[in-house]
DNA sequence: ACGTGACCATGACAGGTGTCACGGCCTTGG
DNA sequence: CCAAGGCCGTGACACCTGTCATGGTCACGT
């Protein structure tokens, strides 16, 4: 019997995944949580063999939750299950100690197999996504550039960004200009779009 | 036996929902599709009693699919099941002839009941969402303003927007300015964010 | 027929934005 | 030690944006 923990913020999806996996004879859902910061506590209490983690979650995101879970309950393998196949997410997930990475586009029948493979110590990675992740390397953005771009997501003006980050307006403009150049964009909004699509910015 | 059609672009979610509903004795999944433009054909072939439609789908979105389905197979009731609780979506869904509107945050157990209610002719609406939809009225944007804002989503410059919409740059600026004023924003990016959050722009 | 309002366009203007050059402070690594 | 590179800041400049005034066409409801 493989014991499972399921973490997904959408209750309907979470319950449906549980129902789907519960159909398998060798799988057993022992915990369900809706927030990233509930993962570790639930795992300690229910000691699952495999944890299915969504990337987009309130509290802390699935990537951070995977890191914490790795330290708190090393016996539990992590299988990331996410909506968006952003190449950057895969790298972050792997460096966070995840054993597998599956997008929600994959057929339902394959999920149970992915869980079994992860449980037996194998790595499960979406092949097309792995290719994308290899061709296009790491994020070219420096930490501050990512911060500034992140602050620019809500659409505020330079002054607003400078205010929230306690920076000079000139510095913000420089970081934005650099980020725009690196992403091949022509405006800050386009740069944000590119960065988000590639998973170079944190979820949210 | 209530016959069901499930439309969702994410294969995993679609399969999981099917598994969840299949557990009920009085429910039967007779068709699954991944694209909006496959809904009508599948419905004609399998003649379901209730169709669960996601709003975000490739091809045509769930709202348009609901309208087409309403005309092609009037005997089939429509229950929208969507990720984002944008107030504007609810209005559009209702005017498209949907009988119910459920967000994916709702508990899994309630879904089967929602399906049964819709099948028996009742309307099912998320109460909190209904309240939001009432307090904040229809979209204040005119058709062209919405078009321009939609074109501005990718982050292009005014010239680019004017090019794709075959408009003068001055006209684009005017429409953007008007949209910015109506949304209470200060920049176009912020206006886009507000409009998207309220469901005033088409999905995607 | 008339007013209203959406739509398109032009022109002009203040202010914001993106770019560049320059300098200074750090930490890292040869 | 010293170069390299990320980080922060200033200042200046061309360009783009957002706003406003103005005017024209068209469809509409009274």
């Amino acid at each position: 019997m493989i014991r499972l923990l399921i973490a997904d913020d959408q209750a309907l999806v979470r319950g449906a995944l549980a129902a789907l996996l519960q159909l398998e004879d060798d799988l057993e859902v022992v915990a369900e949580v809706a927030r990233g910061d509930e993962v570790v506590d639930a795992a300690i209490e229910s000691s699952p063999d495999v944890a299915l983690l969504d990337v987009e979650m309130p509290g802390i995101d699935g990537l951070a939750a995977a890191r914490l879970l790795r330290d708190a309950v090393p016996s539990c393998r992590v299988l990331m299950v996410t909506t968006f196949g952003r190449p950057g997410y895969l790298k972050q997930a792997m460096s966070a100690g995840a054993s597998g990475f599956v997008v929600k586009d994959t057929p339902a029948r394959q999920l149970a197999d992915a869980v079994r493979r992860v449980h037996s110590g194998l790595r499960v990675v979406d092949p097309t996504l792995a290719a994308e992740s290899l061709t296009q390397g790491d994020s070219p953005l420096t930490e501050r550039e990512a911060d500034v771009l992140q602050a620019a997501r809500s659409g505020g003006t330079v002054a607003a960004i400078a205010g929230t980050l306690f920076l000079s307006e000139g510095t913000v403009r420089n970081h934005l200009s650099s980020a725009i150049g690196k992403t091949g964009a022509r405006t800050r909004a386009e740069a944000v779009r590119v960065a988000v699509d590639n998973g170079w910015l944190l979820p949210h």
Side-chain angles (χ1 to χ4, degrees), chain A residues 136-152:
Chain A
Q136 150 230 309
D138 285 340
S139 168
L141 302 175
T142 70
E143 196 178 338
R144 278 299 178 277
E145 284 163 3
D147 289 344
V148 173
L149 219 51
Q150 179 77 20

Side-chain angles (χ1 to χ4, degrees), chain A residues 40-120:
Chain A
V40 171
D41 287 346
I44 291 175
E45 192 172 348
S46 59
S47 62
D49 300 311
V50 177
L52 279 72
L53 303 184
D54 192 356
V55 175
E56 288 82 18
M57 270 190 297
I60 59 174
D61 60 83
L63 299 158
R67 269 185 286 269
L68 294 178
L69 185 56
R70 185 80 180 155
D71 293 337
V73 188
S75 65
C76 178
R77 317 251 187 196
V78 172
L79 175 60
M80 303 298 302
V81 183
T82 184
T83 310
F84 307 103
R86 315 230 191 275
Y89 283 5
L90 194 148
K91 286 213 153 144
Q92 292 184 54
M94 285 313 175
S95 75
S99 300
F101 194 95
V102 180
V103 292
K104 287 184 178 171
D105 281 337
T106 55
R109 335 206 64 123
Q110 295 183 9
L111 184 61
D113 282 337
V115 170
R116 293 192 192 93
R117 285 200 188 133
V118 166
H119 178 248
S120 65

Side-chain angles (χ1 to χ4, degrees), chain A residues 102-179:
Chain A
V102 180
V103 292
K104 287 184 178 171
D105 281 337
T106 55
R109 335 206 64 123
Q110 295 183 9
L111 184 61
D113 282 337
V115 170
R116 293 192 192 93
R117 285 200 188 133
V118 166
H119 178 248
S120 65
L122 298 174
R123 288 195 176 275
V124 176
V125 173
D126 192 88
T128 66
L129 203 59
E132 275 185 57
S133 183
L134 287 179
T135 50
Q136 150 230 309
D138 285 340
S139 168
L141 302 175
T142 70
E143 196 178 338
R144 278 299 178 277
E145 284 163 3
D147 289 344
V148 173
L149 219 51
Q150 179 77 20
R153 278 177 83 168
S154 52
T157 154
V158 170
I161 301 173
T164 59
L165 265 62
F166 302 101
L167 289 180
S168 162
E169 296 192 13
T171 303
V172 172
R173 282 209 291 274
N174 283 338
H175 283 311
L176 280 177
S177 183
S178 176

